[in-house]
């Protein structure tokens, strides 16, 4: 055990054993000089930039006051301001910052007391999320947190499913990875972001880093996923903005209008709704004057979401599809610049993306398959594998599934004007992948690929040519092949991983 002093003057006894270790930080359980359990997040590379240290110091002072007041009142993680995993102390080494101390995430936001219950478990159909009443309740609490931050003129900068945790009863949310919180002004000049949650202005290089309007965009995306269980979202496809279109037919017009303001115009800023506006609209649509849920409005959500749930209702003989990979046991905060993250998912700075990592030694084909997926995501953005074909499934041997419409979340991501008439061809799973094939009216086949064990990872879009037994889809030094009832991935060192395709088209 070692002992450290924070800038507050408080002493901490830090356990020798790591709680968790990420790419840029190590986490340790610690106790302060009053015996309160905290978490020490030690940066692998100390923070040295004076401007970033000044921002972190201001946020730490805010967090220290908020947490102390809430703990004294017995209301920690119950009020909006205390439902943030604030840095509450700073550990310095000379002029640099070695790490931060943060509160322990409350146990009722944990799954089985071990890992945080992230927003993945609220918004992904394959994770068996709760019914609409719980989701709406949690999302209103999410809006509470961001309404508080906006009122204090603070931004988070990396809002994503992994950085929001929740509890079902009473419904509430808690914001983590929060030592990157900073003031609205000056706008950040650098930062990190989670793939699939980037502000389109950042993708278009209109801003150098996420700002307060980026938080508004990501909040809208969280609501879009959480209310409707939509796994996709709006994105650039071939340089063209593909709008979100996965909405229930009978969604309240007020709410639909809010999503249009938030997501339809990728470079818009001031028209993006504030958290307070979202909260007000959600309450008006789903709660009556006495605070009770409006059942008909919830039924609209549950009926729409059932389409996604049914896709994962496997036949009895099918293997269980895994739920989202667990987050680390303790996920505290992040610092402003070049700051550590608790563990993957992969995160990136503003475009252009980094080059692919070097190949590992040995024959770790499973590792390479994941690298192939992530590298293609970083290079090509989010989307879906594009295949050419006529009246057949992805393996090139069979008709489509009776002319059923392409799932709404996939149709929303097809090129502009082609999604509305797209039809479902086949839905497959492998031990790691979720694959859906759709065909548009111009006979283009789109291959929607996702990782079952990485539910927050984006998907990708690459063209392919037909072979005698399936399709061949090269991209740089990577090659993807569908051959009969298998899909193969070949990576730059020549290693090939093969996965058996299981047809679950008729399961839902």
């Amino acid at each position: 055990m070692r002992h450290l002093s924070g800038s507050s003057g408080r002493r901490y006894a830090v356990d020798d054993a790591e709680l968790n270790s990420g790419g840029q930080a190590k986490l340790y359980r610690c106790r302060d000089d009053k015996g309160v359990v905290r978490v020490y997040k030690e940066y692998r590379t100390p923070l040295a930039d004076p401007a970033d240290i000044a921002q972190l110091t201001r946020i730490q002072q805010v967090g220290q006051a908020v947490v102390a007041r809430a703990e004294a009142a017995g209301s920690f993680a119950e009020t909006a301001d205390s439902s943030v995993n604030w840095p509450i102390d700073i550990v310095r080494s000379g002029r640099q910052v070695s790490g931060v101390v943060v509160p322990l995430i409350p146990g009722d936001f944990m799954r089985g007391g071990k890992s945080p219950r992230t927003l993945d478990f609220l918004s992904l159909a394959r994770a068996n999320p709760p019914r609409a009443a719980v989701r709406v309740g949690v999302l209103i609490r999410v809006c509470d947190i961001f309404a508080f931050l906006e009122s204090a003129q603070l931004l988070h900068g990396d809002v994503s499913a992994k950085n929001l945790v929740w509890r079902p009863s009473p419904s509430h949310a808690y914001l983590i990875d929060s030592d990157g919180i900073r003031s609205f002004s000056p706008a950040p000049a650098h930062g990190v972001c989670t793939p699939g949650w980037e502000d389109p202005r950042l993708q278009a290089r209109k801003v150098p880093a996420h700002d307060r309007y980026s938080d508004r965009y990501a909040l809208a995306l969280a609501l879009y996923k959480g209310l409707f269980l939509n796994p996709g979202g709006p994105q650039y496809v071939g340089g063209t903005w593909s709008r979100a279109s996965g909405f229930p037919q009978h969604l309240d017009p007020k709410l639909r209008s809010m999503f249009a303001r938030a997501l339809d115009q990728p470079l818009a800023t001031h028209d993006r709704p504030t958290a307070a506006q979202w909260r007000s609209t959600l309450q008006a649509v789903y709660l009556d004057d006495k605070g009770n849920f409006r059942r008909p409005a919830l039924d609209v959500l549950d009926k729409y979401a059932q389409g996604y749930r049914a896709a994962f209702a496997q036949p009895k003989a099918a293997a269980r599809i895994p739920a989202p990979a667990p987050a680390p046991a303790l996920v505290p905060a992040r610092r402003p610049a070049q700051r550590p993250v608790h563990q993957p998912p992969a995160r990136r700075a503003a475009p252009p993306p980094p080059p692919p990592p070097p190949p590992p030694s040995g024959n770790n084909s499973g590792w390479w398959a994941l690298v192939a997926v992530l590298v293609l995501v970083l290079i090509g953005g989010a989307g879906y594998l594009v295949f050419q074909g006529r009246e057949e499934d992805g393996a090139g041997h069979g008709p489509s599934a009776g002319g059923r419409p392409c799932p709404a979340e996939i149709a929303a991501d097809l090129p502009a004007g082609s999604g509305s008439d797209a039809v479902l061809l086949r839905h497959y799973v492998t031990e790691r992948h979720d694959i859906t094939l759709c065909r548009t009216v111009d006979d283009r086949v789109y291959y929607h690929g996702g990782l079952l064990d990485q539910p927050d990872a984006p998907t990708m879009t690459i063209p392919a040519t037909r072979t005698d037994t399936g399709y061949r889809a090269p991209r740089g030094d990577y090659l993807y092949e569908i051959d009969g009832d298998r899909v193969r991935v070949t990576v730059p060192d020549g290693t090939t991983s093969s996965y058996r395709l299981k047809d679950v088209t008729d399961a839902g």
Side-chain angles (χ1 to χ4, degrees):
M1 181 170 290
R2 54 181 166 150
H3 293 81
L4 300 172
S5 295
S7 58
S8 68
R10 195 171 295 282
R11 296 274 295 171
Y12 300 92
V14 183
D15 289 354
D16 293 329
E18 292 180 14
L19 275 174
N20 203 359
S21 180
Q24 301 179 58
K26 298 179 181 180
L27 304 179
Y28 300 89
R29 182 185 296 268
C30 65
R31 291 182 182 271
D32 66 17
D33 47 20
K34 292 185 177 180
V36 179
V37 177
R38 306 295 191 190
V39 175
Y40 174 52
K41 182 177 183 179
E42 184 175 49
Y43 300 143
R44 295 184 186 273
T45 301
L47 182 63
D49 185 273
D52 290 328
I53 292 175
Q55 283 277 4
L56 177 59
T57 300
R58 179 183 175 231
I59 297 308
Q60 175 266 322
Q61 291 171 347
V62 172
Q64 184 181 36
V66 169
V67 171
R69 182 170 60 250
E71 288 182 338
S75 61
F76 178 69
E78 297 297 333
T79 60
D81 61 343
S82 67
S83 298
V84 176
N85 196 237
W86 297 101
I88 57 176
D89 212 344
I90 296 174
V91 177
R92 296 177 182 267
S93 176
R95 295 179 179 273
Q96 299 180 329
V97 170
S98 301
V100 293
V101 177
V102 299
L104 197 67
I105 296 177
D108 50 357
F109 293 96
M110 309 292 280
R111 298 177 61 246
K114 296 180 179 180
S115 60
R117 187 184 297 105
T118 65
L119 204 68
D120 296 318
F121 293 92
L122 187 88
S123 60
L124 289 174
R126 61 176 170 265
N128 191 27
R131 306 292 288 182
V134 174
R135 303 201 309 274
V136 169
V138 169
L139 294 170
I140 289 175
R141 299 285 80 82
V142 170
C143 292
D144 282 341
I145 295 170
F146 284 98
F148 160 74
L149 290 177
E150 286 192 322
S151 71
Q153 297 190 12
L154 297 174
L155 66 96
H156 184 276
D158 190 23
V159 182
S160 72
K162 296 299 184 186
N163 290 335
L164 284 163
V165 298
W166 59 282
R167 72 179 183 214
S169 181
S171 298
H172 199 41
Y174 188 77
L175 180 65
I176 62 177
D177 205 11
S178 300
D179 56 337
I181 290 177
R182 58 194 303 142
S183 303
F184 280 179
S185 181
H190 52 251
V192 296
C193 59
T194 299
W197 293 80
E198 306 98 325
D199 188 331
R201 295 181 303 136
L202 180 65
Q203 295 175 290
R205 298 194 176 115
K206 300 298 183 181
V207 293
H210 280 177
D211 57 18
R212 58 174 165 155
Y213 299 109
S214 307
D215 275 11
R216 293 184 183 181
Y217 174 82
L219 174 60
L221 195 57
L223 297 174
Y224 178 74
K225 293 173 179 288
L227 288 176
F228 314 127
L229 306 192
N230 284 322
Q235 63 182 308
Y236 280 110
V237 178
T240 300
W241 185 247
S242 179
R243 296 180 177 181
S245 61
F247 297 99
Q249 181 179 358
H250 300 294
L251 182 67
D252 188 281
K254 295 188 294 295
L255 199 54
R256 181 64 184 89
S257 175
M258 292 282 283
F259 279 109
R261 288 174 52 195
L263 303 177
D264 281 2
Q265 301 300 323
L267 305 183
T269 54
H270 293 283
D271 201 39
R272 292 179 180 178
T274 66
Q277 289 171 334
W278 277 114
R279 178 179 58 193
S280 177
T281 302
L282 289 174
Q283 290 173 334
V285 171
Y286 295 110
L287 301 178
D288 63 22
D289 293 340
K290 296 181 179 180
N292 298 316
F293 282 113
R294 300 180 190 273
R295 186 69 254 174
L298 294 180
D299 288 343
V300 171
L301 296 181
D302 280 330
K303 181 178 180 181
Y304 181 81
Q306 185 58 34
Y308 293 134
R309 293 181 189 273
F312 294 92
Q314 297 294 304
K316 292 182 179 180
R320 182 181 64 87
I321 295 179
L330 291 168
V331 189
R334 150 179 68 75
R335 60 177 177 169
Q338 301 179 346
R339 48 193 178 270
V341 294
H342 40 275
Q343 75 168 33
R347 292 145 64 96
R348 67 181 181 192
S361 59
N363 293 318
N364 195 346
S365 60
W367 187 93
W368 262 114
L370 176 58
V371 169
V373 170
L374 294 179
V375 167
L376 280 172
V377 167
L378 293 175
I379 294 175
Y384 302 94
L385 294 173
V386 183
F387 290 87
Q388 305 285 342
R390 294 176 182 271
E391 299 299 326
E392 56 207 11
D393 65 15
H397 56 67
S400 63
R404 288 158 49 184
C406 179
E409 80 279 9
I410 302 175
D413 291 323
L414 300 181
S418 63
S420 60
D421 296 321
V423 296
L424 172 68
L425 295 181
R426 281 289 180 268
H427 183 191
Y428 298 106
V429 294
T430 75
E431 62 190 70
R432 298 188 60 228
H433 309 94
D434 177 26
I435 300 168
T436 302
L437 294 152
C438 291
R439 188 185 69 246
T440 61
V441 292
D442 59 357
D443 285 334
R444 289 182 178 270
V445 176
Y446 288 77
Y447 177 119
H448 174 183
L451 288 172
L452 292 172
D453 55 354
Q454 295 286 329
D456 203 32
T459 50
M460 52 192 167
T461 307
I462 56 176
T465 56
R466 187 183 175 195
T467 67
D468 290 340
T469 57
Y471 293 93
R472 185 175 187 273
R475 178 66 178 267
D477 293 328
Y478 295 84
L479 177 63
Y480 294 81
E481 296 173 288
I482 289 183
D483 183 5
D485 62 353
R486 305 193 71 86
V487 58
R488 294 195 301 268
V489 179
T490 304
V491 297
D493 69 346
T495 302
T496 298
S497 300
S498 178
Y499 301 90
R500 182 175 296 279
L501 296 167
K502 180 177 181 61
D503 192 336
V504 295
T505 308
D506 297 326

